[in-house]
């Protein structure tokens, strides 16, 4: 219940109160990040960034100069791996009392990529500010949350299915708690692109694709969201899960693609 409450009450923070995070706390978060492993075995390099000294900016962030960012090689499943690892990091930072939010587009990306010394074959999918939440959200933040309906999610039966996409999963399913964790995962503009088919002891994760999230290089931002969902599912089962990539061959709706399968250990 503690985990479920953390996920359910968590929110993206864009307005901070100006206090600097203690150096020891920030270094502990960085050490934690460096120890995070993903089911895909892809290494990620993490850095703490200082907006003031490194010339970084985001129009949606106020009250903090501290950011954390990660970069990794472009490779199959890099998007999912990053989403999985970054969400684990974000939840840890919040357990330490700091506010966070995922930022992919609303930042001076060239400046952040320069600060990360990004190579041509690397990607820096997202960054997050780190700081203490302000007592009151800014007007911009309030309007942003309202615009994407940040406090709502699609119904359980729209996201989760029993044996195939033809039959919505009943909420009395023994998988309900872990899937509720998935349902409340964050995603770009709250698109919630994950779809999950429960088949026996396995949960097959799919991506419901939306236009505008794949760049010219083929990088798919919504696969980062699927990585977040995969971690929420694992987190809901105390990480006692095994990830495999073996398409079960189910008939999926148009624009919906298989990503990975999770099985409880």
């Amino acid at each position: 219940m503690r985990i479920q409450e953390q996920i359910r009450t968590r929110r993206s923070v864009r307005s901070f109160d100006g206090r600097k995070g203690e150096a020891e706390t920030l270094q502990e978060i960085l050490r934690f990040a460096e120890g995070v492993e993903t089911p895909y075995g892809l290494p990620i390099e993490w850095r703490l960034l200082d907006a003031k000294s490194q010339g970084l900016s985001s129009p949606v962030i106020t009250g903090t100069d501290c950011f954390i960012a990660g970069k990794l090689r472009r490779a199959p499943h890099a998007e999912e791996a990053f989403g999985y690892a970054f969400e684990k990091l974000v939840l840890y930072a919040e357990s330490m009392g700091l506010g966070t939010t995922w930022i992919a587009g609303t930042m001076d990306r060239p400046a952040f990529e320069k600060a990360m010394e990004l190579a041509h074959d690397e990607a820096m999918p997202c960054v997050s500010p780190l700081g203490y939440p302000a007592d009151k959200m800014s007007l911009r933040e309030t309007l942003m949350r309202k615009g994407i309906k940040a406090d709502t999610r699609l119904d359980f039966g729209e996201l989760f299915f029993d044996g195939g996409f033809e039959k919505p999963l009943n909420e009395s399913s023994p998988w309900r708690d872990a899937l509720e964790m998935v349902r409340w995962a964050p995603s770009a503009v709250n698109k919630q692109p994950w779809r999950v088919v429960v088949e026996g002891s396995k949960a097959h994760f799919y991506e419901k694709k939306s236009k505008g999230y794949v760049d010219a290089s083929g990088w798919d931002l919504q696969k980062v969201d699927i990585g977040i969902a995969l971690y929420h599912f694992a987190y809901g089962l105390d990480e006692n899960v095994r990830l495999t990539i073996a398409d079960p061959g189910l008939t999926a709706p148009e624009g919906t693609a298989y990503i990975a399968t999770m099985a409880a250990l």
Side-chain angles (χ1 to χ4, degrees):
M1 289 301 295
R2 178 189 61 80
I3 293 174
Q4 293 175 33
E5 183 65 16
Q6 178 190 14
I7 295 298
R8 181 64 182 84
T9 59
R10 172 181 178 260
R11 71 170 179 87
S12 297
V13 178
R14 299 176 180 87
S15 304
F16 298 85
D17 69 3
R19 288 182 294 158
K20 290 186 176 180
E22 291 79 2
E24 183 178 343
T25 299
L26 295 175
Q27 287 302 316
E28 174 58 31
I29 290 170
L30 184 59
R31 284 192 294 270
F32 178 86
E34 291 169 343
V36 170
E37 297 181 356
T38 79
Y40 298 94
L42 298 175
I44 301 172
E45 180 182 336
W46 304 96
R47 297 187 187 184
L48 290 170
L49 305 175
D50 180 76
K52 187 173 293 185
S53 65
Q54 295 177 287
L56 310 176
S57 63
S58 167
V60 300
I61 302 301
T62 61
T64 185
D65 289 322
C66 183
F67 290 82
I68 190 163
K71 65 177 182 178
L72 76 171
R73 298 286 180 186
R74 291 177 178 268
H77 309 296
E79 297 101 323
E80 301 99 286
F82 187 87
Y84 191 102
F86 202 62
E87 182 66 358
K88 186 171 183 176
L89 165 62
V90 160
L91 291 172
Y92 181 76
E94 292 186 348
S95 75
M96 301 283 283
L98 297 181
T100 63
T101 190
W102 288 69
I103 302 176
T106 51
M107 61 175 161
D108 182 350
R109 179 167 282 277
F112 274 91
E113 291 182 350
K114 180 180 179 181
M116 288 296 291
E117 300 177 292
L118 199 71
H120 74 279
D121 61 346
E122 293 178 324
M124 184 201 71
C126 305
V127 306
S128 174
L130 293 173
Y132 297 101
D135 292 336
K136 185 178 180 180
M137 288 186 287
S138 68
L139 177 60
R140 182 196 294 267
E141 182 174 8
T142 301
L143 292 174
M144 286 181 66
R145 292 183 61 81
K146 184 177 180 180
I148 64 172
K149 300 180 180 179
D151 296 316
T152 64
R153 294 294 188 273
L154 295 174
D155 290 339
F156 192 90
E158 294 181 71
L159 298 172
F160 311 123
F161 304 87
D162 187 356
F165 283 94
E166 301 80 14
K167 182 180 179 183
L169 187 67
N170 193 295
E171 291 193 47
S172 64
S173 165
W175 295 85
R176 181 184 184 279
D177 288 347
L179 290 173
E180 271 294 302
M181 301 272 283
V182 172
R183 194 167 81 90
W184 283 100
S187 57
V189 296
N190 202 23
K191 282 288 187 180
Q192 305 160 63
W194 42 80
R195 299 293 182 271
V196 183
V197 178
V198 173
E199 189 179 35
S201 62
K202 298 179 179 180
H204 306 301
F205 282 70
Y206 291 76
E207 174 193 5
K208 186 180 187 302
K209 297 177 179 291
S210 300
K211 291 182 180 180
Y213 290 89
V214 180
D215 68 17
S217 71
W219 185 268
D220 185 348
L221 182 60
Q222 288 194 311
K223 284 185 178 179
V224 176
D225 293 338
I226 302 298
I228 299 173
L230 287 168
Y231 180 68
H232 274 227
F233 186 80
Y235 192 35
L237 295 174
D238 293 325
E239 300 193 41
N240 292 316
V241 294
R242 180 180 69 254
L243 182 144
T244 59
I245 302 171
D247 192 336
L250 301 175
T251 300
E254 184 177 357
T256 303
Y258 171 78
I259 299 295
T261 296
M262 283 282 202
L265 298 178

